[in-house]
Amino acid sequence: MPPPREASAESAQQTPEQIAVAIAAYVKRHVECAVLEDGKVLFDLRTAKHEIATEHGRCTLQLWSEERNLVRRVVSATERSGVLKLATQRFGQSQTKLLEVVADRQRRTPTTRESARERYVKTLERVLARRFPEWRPDGFRTAMDLEKSFGPGYARGSLVKGNQAWAVVGVNENETQVTVDGILTVGVLWLHACREQAGGRRLYQGLRLIVPRGMGMLTLSRLAWMNTDAAQWELWEMAARDEELEELDAADRGNLRTRLVHHPDARAAAERFAGATEKVMALVPEGEEVRVEQRLRSTAELAFLLHGMEFARARVGLAPNSFMRTLEITVGVGASETPLTEANREVLREVVADLFARRRALEPGLFARRAVQPARRIGAPTTAPAHARMTARGRGRDAGADPLYRAAPERWLESVLRRDLSPLTRNLAPIAATAGRSVRGFANEIDPDTIGNRADPVEVDGARENVGAG
């Protein structure tokens, strides 16, 4: 009996006998398969032994080798993209852990991303121990926890001193900007989990977030709104080269920062990523290619965005234990980022199609001017900030509730303004003067909220006068 192809309510209704048959059939078809947990190889079934039992109304999987042994209750078995995913439970625990049974040897070799995450955990522990010598790093890991919604892109742990502690979450520089921007949400969940697990034995003072240098401004703006009565909130940036931590001040907001960066050669990059671009665009639904924004993150990375949300990335790197360059294409948002292969191409095509269907402006033109409010006196305070005068147009009744629609709102706004600045510069865009006519030096449309607050030139019987303030 082949295992079910999709994770659904059906997999939750599998009987122990069905699960056992599915595991046995997969192992029989793939004689060189291996068992992974959190991306690490636990058992190579070419040399390790296994036994499946269906007694007492449950399916029990036992694995053993010269290095270790493992016994788990298997709740469901689902095959996706050639990988058999087993939802398992340790005896006496209700938490579900995912085991993966993979068929090919390449999946047993850690990917570049997984290796980078493992190295980052060690680096993070070393940097924290040096920066906070009185505190001891404890329990840092990147293991996926489906029950608590923790993805492998976030390194989680604690800083401990006696019965005092801080919850810590870090992200390495190889993760996408979407993953970095989600660190505050993961951090709040992690702080709550740490406090629950401590059970009063440790006092968790607050949360320390560690992000790559130059990638923390959005998180910093959100951090300023956190409740300081509930916990202390700190944001630090870490540079991978010098391994130095720099704390960011949440009260220091609104200042402009300018810097010069290397400008990548767009033509050379287009040639370098031509093959990757063709593969990614082949996943995009027909007729939707115009909505894709391509942005060079560096000379070695090209990102593909949909309304500011990165859904694919092409990255040039080095093969493990070699100086040979490789081109890796990943598809997915945040923690669901998955390397693109021939085996999972159609699955990822459906994922991309679903994203494009759910994350869209319902009508062309995102912004519309609200009705003009009654004129106010000169110098009177405004009743609403300037950005409140622009409202989204064409939004369906329930469209705003979709998580993919609501995700990364700041990035969506940035993508709109990159394409068209007119909503913000309507009265600042100069127009060319016409010979023989008296024309204004700026756009002809007058902002009703600025009438009376500046000198506006008008024509009176052919004479040009200034009226307004003063």
Side-chain angles (χ1 to χ4, degrees):
M1 169 186 173
R5 292 287 175 178
E6 297 182 357
S8 62
E10 180 182 352
S11 59
Q13 300 173 359
Q14 289 178 276
T15 64
E17 290 74 16
Q18 291 174 328
I19 297 174
V21 171
I23 298 174
Y26 186 91
V27 174
K28 184 177 181 180
R29 293 199 312 270
H30 307 286
V31 295
E32 296 186 350
C33 60
V35 179
L36 285 69
E37 184 176 38
D38 301 329
K40 299 180 181 179
V41 178
L42 295 184
F43 299 94
D44 187 336
L45 294 188
R46 293 177 300 176
T47 57
K49 306 296 182 181
H50 72 281
E51 182 177 333
I52 308 171
T54 56
E55 300 174 351
H56 309 294
R58 61 189 179 192
C59 179
T60 304
L61 174 63
Q62 181 177 1
L63 298 159
W64 67 94
S65 66
E66 295 180 356
E67 299 177 354
R68 61 176 63 90
N69 63 75
L70 177 147
V71 180
R72 297 278 180 87
R73 175 189 176 187
V74 184
V75 180
S76 66
T78 306
E79 184 177 343
R80 295 186 61 182
S81 303
V83 178
L84 184 64
K85 298 180 180 293
L86 305 179
T88 66
Q89 294 176 340
R90 291 185 174 91
F91 289 100
Q93 297 185 13
S94 59
Q95 179 181 354
T96 301
K97 294 285 291 183
L98 181 66
L99 292 180
E100 293 181 308
V101 187
V102 298
D104 56 286
R105 292 185 176 184
Q106 293 181 353
R107 280 298 303 270
R108 290 198 289 270
T109 302
T111 64
T112 303
R113 182 177 54 179
E114 293 168 348
S115 300
R117 289 169 176 171
E118 293 177 1
R119 291 194 303 269
Y120 177 74
V121 170
K122 298 178 182 178
T123 301
L124 184 60
E125 290 178 332
R126 182 171 61 251
V127 172
L128 290 173
R130 185 171 62 247
R131 182 62 179 78
F132 306 100
E134 297 180 357
W135 297 76
R136 174 176 56 86
D138 179 62
F140 277 84
R141 56 191 179 276
T142 59
M144 181 182 296
D145 190 333
L146 299 179
E147 183 179 1
K148 295 183 174 63
S149 302
F150 295 136
Y154 302 97
R156 312 177 302 278
S158 302
L159 283 175
V160 180
K161 183 176 72 172
N163 63 348
Q164 303 178 55
W166 280 80
V168 181
V169 178
V171 180
N172 72 75
E173 61 181 1
N174 294 317
E175 302 296 339
T176 65
Q177 185 65 55
V178 174
T179 302
V180 176
D181 293 343
I183 191 173
L184 182 56
T185 301
V186 174
V188 172
L189 295 174
W190 177 242
L191 175 60
H192 176 70
C194 289
R195 285 177 169 175
E196 276 195 337
Q197 187 176 4
R201 297 184 299 273
R202 286 180 180 172
L203 176 61
Y204 276 84
Q205 303 177 18
L207 173 68
R208 285 189 172 125
L209 303 175
I210 317 294
V211 299
R213 182 166 295 175
M215 301 179 70
M217 295 310 296
L218 179 57
T219 302
L220 185 66
S221 65
R222 294 172 174 174
L223 203 67
W225 298 94
M226 300 301 292
N227 184 0
T228 55
D229 294 332
Q232 300 179 48
W233 312 95
E234 295 184 1
L235 178 64
W236 298 73
E237 287 188 340
M238 184 176 74
R241 291 186 177 181
D242 54 20
E243 296 187 356
E244 292 294 332
L245 287 175
E246 178 184 358
E247 185 176 7
L248 301 183
D249 184 5
D252 183 17
R253 296 180 295 118
N255 297 326
L256 294 178
R257 175 183 298 175
T258 59
R259 58 193 177 101
L260 291 176
V261 298
H262 175 70
H263 180 65
D265 188 337
R267 181 177 299 178
E271 296 176 357
R272 186 183 312 117
F273 292 106
T277 301
E278 183 179 356
K279 292 181 180 179
V280 172
M281 298 304 291
L283 303 177
V284 177
E286 184 177 358
E288 300 280 16
E289 294 84 358
V290 68
R291 298 173 60 196
V292 178
E293 179 184 4
Q294 299 180 26
R295 300 205 71 196
L296 274 175
R297 300 298 190 193
S298 68
T299 56
E301 290 185 356
L302 175 64
F304 299 83
L305 291 78
L306 174 64
H307 297 311
M309 174 183 286
E310 183 175 318
F311 69 91
R313 173 182 291 203
R315 181 188 296 112
V316 176
L318 296 177
N321 303 321
S322 172
F323 293 101
M324 183 180 297
R325 292 187 177 274
T326 61
L327 180 61
E328 181 185 27
I329 303 175
T330 56
V331 179
V333 177
S336 63
E337 184 183 6
T338 305
L340 175 64
T341 64
E342 290 296 333
N344 63 12
R345 183 180 302 275
E346 293 304 318
V347 174
L348 293 180
R349 191 192 306 275
E350 296 177 2
V351 172
V352 173
D354 181 61
L355 172 64
F356 273 70
R358 296 165 59 184
R359 186 176 176 84
R360 65 167 60 246
L362 301 185
E363 290 181 3
L366 182 62
F367 292 111
R369 177 72 67 178
R370 286 179 177 169
V372 178
Q373 300 295 325
R376 63 178 184 276
R377 297 183 60 185
I378 299 175
T382 59
T383 57
H387 64 267
R389 300 196 299 270
M390 290 185 296
T391 180
R393 170 172 69 191
R395 182 178 298 174
R397 180 178 180 182
D398 299 322
D402 193 301
L404 289 178
Y405 182 90
R406 295 169 58 89
E410 299 91 346
R411 303 300 176 192
W412 191 327
L413 179 59
E414 287 178 4
S415 70
V416 171
L417 296 179
R418 278 196 298 268
R419 185 175 64 251
D420 180 15
L421 275 174
S422 61
L424 297 183
T425 61
R426 185 168 303 186
N427 301 299
L428 300 178
I431 59 176
T434 304
R437 290 183 58 190
S438 175
V439 296
R440 307 168 60 87
F442 296 90
N444 292 327
E445 181 182 353
I446 300 178
D447 187 344
D449 291 324
T450 62
I451 294 178
N453 293 344
R454 67 182 184 190
D456 291 311
V458 297
E459 295 287 341
V460 180
D461 294 332
R464 195 166 186 263
E465 299 183 359
N466 288 338
V467 297

